[in-house]
Amino acid sequence: LADQSELLADQSELQPDVAELQPDFAELLADLACLQPDLSGVLADVTRVQPDVAGVLADLARVQPDLAGLQPDVAGVLADLARVQPDLAELLADQSELLADQSEL
């Protein structure tokens, strides 16, 4: 009985706080009810695209070894480009000079 009396006293203390929160809770429930159709639409969209996403992930997993195999080739091409870049810059400068000479003629 003492425990029950203590619980009733605690409940009496909390009752004003609960009453104060009730309008906020009702507003939250109303907001959730408004959002429910949007959430249902989003869930439907996710469900609809899930097979496509799974397919894309499967494709990526399938080509990943090929991409990893190409990485050294790409690194080699980038190294080749870095090596010939000064020659290309010089060639472009010569071409610009030649065009300038042509326009004078």
Side-chain angles (χ1 to χ4, degrees), residues 10-77:
D10 290 345
Q11 188 178 8
S12 294
E13 276 183 37
L14 290 175
Q15 199 167 8
D17 294 338
V18 170
E20 187 178 321
L21 290 174
Q22 196 169 3
D24 294 338
F25 188 68
E27 187 178 331
L28 180 63
L29 287 177
D31 291 345
L32 287 174
C34 290
L35 288 174
Q36 191 173 359
D38 295 337
L39 291 175
S40 295
V42 168
L43 287 175
D45 291 345
V46 167
T47 302
R48 185 176 42 77
V49 301
Q50 191 173 6
D52 296 337
V53 170
V56 167
L57 290 175
D59 291 345
L60 286 174
R62 194 182 75 252
V63 299
Q64 190 174 7
D66 296 338
L67 291 175
L70 287 175
Q71 193 172 4
D73 296 339
V74 170
V77 168

Side-chain angles (χ1 to χ4, degrees), residues 72-90:
D73 296 339
V74 170
V77 168
L78 290 174
D80 291 346
L81 286 173
R83 194 183 76 251
V84 300
Q85 190 175 6
D87 295 338
L88 287 174
E90 187 178 326

